Structures are given as C-alpha cells and as structure tokens.
C-alpha cells in the first residue's frame, strides 16, 4: 500500500544513511576545543528541487559568493523525499511546502521547521486538459487526479475537495511524481493534476487550464526544514543562520530582477525562460517569522490530513518547530 511505503521511507533509520552524511552527524564538527566556531570546517548538505531552484538562485543573485562554509547540493523531485533525506541524516536543510513537514512529523522524523515565507497563491493549482468537461471543483467527483503524495499539492487538493463538499473517497487519487503526472495528464490517463510551480506554468504553456488555484484554499507558506542533528551542532546551526539570510536576500533580489533570473537560470536548471518567468511573476517570496498565526495554520494542515485519515493519528506541529532564527526579523 502506497501510504505504508511512504511512512516506512520517512522512518528510515540512521543505519541507512548514505556516505554523504550531513553536517550534523558530528556534533563537534566546526567547533574548536575552546567552544569557538570555525565555519570553514562546516559542510552543509542542502536538498533542492525544481520548484525552488535554490542553488541556481544563490548563484544568479550572487548570494553564493564568500560563504565561509561549504555547500553540497542534492536534487529531489519534491518535498517529501527531501525530508526523508533530512531524517536519514544525509541532508541538513531543504525547502518544502506546507504538507511535507506534516507527513514527516507523523512519521516521527528528526526534523524541525526553522523558517517560513509566503510563496503566493497562484503557483498552486489543479490543472485540467484544454478540452476537459471539468468546469467546477465539484466536477472532480469520481475523477482520476494526479498528485504527489505528501506534497503541498496534496493539501491543496484536500482543501479544495473539503470546501466543495467532497472527500478523498469521492475521487480516484493517482499518486505520481510530477514528471509522471505531466505525462499522465497529457495522454489522458488522468483527468486532472494538482501541482505547484514551475510545473503549473509548464502545463499552462502547453495549453492546460487552471481549474482552481490556491486562493481561498490555503495559506501559501513554504518552509525551510533542518535536521535536528544539524541544529544541535553549534557550528552547522550558525551556518544555517547565514544561509537562511542569503536565501532571503536572493529571493528578494529575484522579485526585482525577474527577467534576468528567468534568462540566466534557464541555462542552469533547464526550465525554459517563459516557464520560469510566468512562475516568478506570481511568486511573492515574503519571508516572515514562525509566529503564532503561521504555526496555527500549519496545525490546521496537520489536522486536515489527520481528519481525512491520510496520516496516522494526530500531530502536534509545535513539537516540530524551532524559532531560533526568528531574530532575523528583529533588526
């Protein structure tokens, strides 16, 4: 069963950690005998995905220059496998949507949400083919809908169903990774696809239509999630602080340099210029503290999955929040 396989993967033990261990594997790495920090001895292992393109963003914006620590990057198809890798200890930090931390928390993963930003409503969508007879969310009843399990699109779909009087038992969910879902939609093997940018923009450029976006259905927060071992390490946690500031500055830069970003990033990521430009034009990249409203909204995500019996039991999201980096907003 797919759900059991997902939680088994999220609960992977340290014995399965790959050779590329994260910085948190040694709590003394980068910490001198006198307690001082030497960031030159720190390597942060970062999980990246097509929807965020953090490595490209830091490079194009110039924010990767002069980092006193080393960065090693791993590419993932979506947020859930990033959190699997963080739990396993092979990745220290990664950016994900609202649902992956909930699934990881339900699996008792060793992760903490450490930062948040508003990424915008329009980059989340349920797509249908150009000639689809699906005109309203209520028309999703009985349809085959592609979605990546445990992703932000999973919650968006759940919210759309709930607010239109439907449940997951009223549809035929097809748990697919984005590339497979795109192929399934284009060949008619599914009736609709719930996904995020830049896949939404890619599908729109191909002629597919947005049935509904995230407006009125979600709080469009994305998160940065770190492993508890990396956070327990004095040096790697300091490196994470510096990196979060660089990411914040890079995302602020891209909002004022949208065309430059779309042109230069295309060569790095392989995502076409027009797709990247459409996606960035509707992104907001508004960083904000992990405040009570943000935590409450994420708890609502967890409760929705629990109520739908899509995760086992209840999750107290506060147990998976670390607010130490909120002081970035005090200056």
């Amino acid at each position: 069963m797919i759900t059991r396989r997902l939680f088994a993967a999220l609960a992977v033990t340290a014995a399965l950690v790959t050779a590329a261990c994260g910085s948190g594997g040694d709590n003394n790495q980068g910490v001198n005998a006198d307690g001082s920090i030497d960031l030159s001895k720190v390597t942060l292992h970062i999980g990246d995905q097509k929807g965020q393109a953090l490595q490209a963003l830091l490079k194009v914006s110039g924010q990767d220059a002069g980092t006193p620590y080393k960065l090693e990057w791993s590419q993932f198809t979506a947020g859930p496998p990033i959190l699997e890798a963080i739990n396993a200890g092979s990745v220290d930090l990664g950016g994900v949507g609202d649902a992956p931390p909930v699934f990881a928390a339900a699996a008792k993963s060793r992760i903490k949400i450490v930062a948040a930003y508003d990424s915008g409503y329009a980059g989340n969508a349920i797509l249908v083919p150009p000639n689809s007879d699906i005109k309203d969310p209520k028309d999703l009843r009985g349809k085959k809908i592609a979605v990546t399990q445990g992703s932000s699109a999973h919650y968006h779909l759940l919210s759309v169903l709930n607010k239109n009087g439907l449940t997951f038992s009223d549809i035929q969910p097809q748990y697919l990774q984005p590339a497979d879902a795109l192929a399934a939609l284009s060949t008619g093997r599914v009736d609709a696809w719930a996904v995020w940018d830049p896949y939404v923009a890619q599908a729109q450029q191909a002629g597919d239509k947005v049935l509904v976006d995230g407006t009125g259905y979600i709080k469009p927060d994305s998160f940065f999630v770190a492993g508890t071992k990396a956070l327990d390490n004095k040096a790697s946690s300091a490196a994470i602080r510096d990196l979060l500031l660089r990411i914040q500055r890079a995302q602020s830069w891209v909002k004022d340099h949208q065309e430059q970003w779309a042109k230069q990033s295309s060569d790095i990521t392989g995502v076409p210029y027009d797709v990247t430009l459409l996606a960035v034009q509707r992104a907001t990249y508004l960083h904000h503290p992990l405040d009570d409203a943000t935590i409450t909204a994420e708890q609502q995500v967890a409760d929705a999955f629990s109520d739908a019996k899509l995760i086992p039991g209840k999750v107290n999201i506060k147990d998976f929040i670390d607010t130490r980096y909120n002081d970035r907003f005090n200056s």
Side-chain angles (χ1 to χ4, degrees):
M1 184 175 181
I2 293 176
T3 300
R4 283 201 291 267
R5 288 205 300 269
L6 175 67
F7 282 99
L10 284 167
V12 66
T13 65
L16 298 177
V17 177
T18 63
C21 291
S23 299
D26 178 3
N27 279 349
N28 294 317
Q29 184 182 19
V31 180
N32 297 323
D34 62 359
S36 61
I37 294 172
D38 184 352
L39 289 180
S40 68
K41 296 179 180 178
V42 173
T43 298
L44 286 182
H45 297 260
I46 311 301
D48 200 3
Q49 57 175 310
K50 194 175 184 180
Q52 292 187 319
L54 292 177
Q55 184 177 13
L57 184 58
L58 290 171
K59 181 177 179 60
V60 174
S61 67
Q63 286 298 321
D64 65 342
T67 56
Y69 45 85
K70 300 178 182 66
L71 292 173
E72 292 191 357
W73 297 87
S74 299
Q75 297 295 319
F76 295 85
T77 56
I82 291 178
L83 297 195
E84 293 172 24
I86 291 176
N87 180 52
S90 56
V91 166
D92 298 312
L93 181 78
V96 300
D98 53 9
V102 169
F103 277 71
K108 307 283 192 292
S109 296
R110 296 177 289 275
I111 59 101
K112 295 282 186 179
I113 296 172
V114 295
Y117 66 96
D118 182 321
S119 53
Y121 292 102
N124 300 273
I126 298 177
L127 298 157
V128 295
N131 298 319
S132 174
D133 59 356
I134 301 174
K135 308 298 183 185
D136 183 273
K138 293 182 177 62
D139 297 334
L140 294 172
R141 185 186 296 274
K143 302 298 186 182
K144 291 182 178 179
I145 306 174
V147 64
T148 301
Q149 189 178 23
S151 68
S152 59
H154 200 176
Y155 177 64
H156 181 213
L157 175 58
L158 176 61
S159 182
V160 169
L161 294 174
N162 286 345
K163 292 191 176 184
N164 286 278
L166 301 174
T167 68
F168 254 75
S169 62
D170 292 319
I171 65 167
Q172 300 179 61
Q174 308 294 303
Y175 291 122
L176 300 171
Q177 292 298 320
D180 295 328
L182 176 61
L185 186 70
S186 63
T187 58
R189 289 186 286 115
V190 297
D191 303 297
W193 180 24
V195 73
W196 58 92
D197 264 336
Y199 302 106
V200 173
Q202 182 180 4
Q204 286 181 283
Q205 294 290 358
D208 295 313
K209 296 181 179 179
V210 172
L211 174 68
V212 61
D213 66 16
T215 305
Y217 292 102
I218 60 171
K219 185 179 188 299
D221 276 340
S222 293
F223 298 101
F224 289 101
V225 177
T228 56
K229 286 186 177 181
L231 292 170
D232 289 343
N233 180 306
K234 185 178 178 181
S236 60
S237 64
I240 287 172
R241 176 184 296 278
D242 179 82
L243 182 59
L244 289 174
L245 286 167
R246 290 172 184 268
I247 292 171
Q248 185 174 344
R249 290 193 295 265
Q251 290 184 330
S252 177
W253 174 90
V254 81
K255 288 303 297 178
D256 295 325
H257 301 82
Q258 294 177 1
E259 291 190 4
Q260 182 180 344
W261 160 243
K263 289 175 182 176
Q264 295 186 17
S265 69
S266 180
D267 292 335
I268 300 172
T269 65
V271 179
Y273 166 82
D274 54 351
V275 171
T276 300
L277 185 61
L278 177 57
V280 76
Q281 284 174 338
R282 58 192 176 203
T284 54
Y285 296 132
L286 180 61
H287 285 250
H288 59 82
L290 286 168
D291 54 19
D292 289 344
T294 302
I295 296 170
T296 297
E298 185 67 355
Q299 185 64 55
Q300 291 171 348
V301 175
D303 292 344
F305 278 113
S306 180
D307 292 345
K309 295 183 172 29
L310 294 172
I311 59 173
K314 292 283 187 179
V315 167
N316 183 1
I317 209 67
K318 286 185 178 180
D319 294 339
F320 297 87
I321 299 283
D322 189 321
T323 61
R324 74 178 72 181
Y325 301 121
N326 275 355
D327 58 7
R328 292 179 295 134
F329 302 95
N330 295 337
S331 59

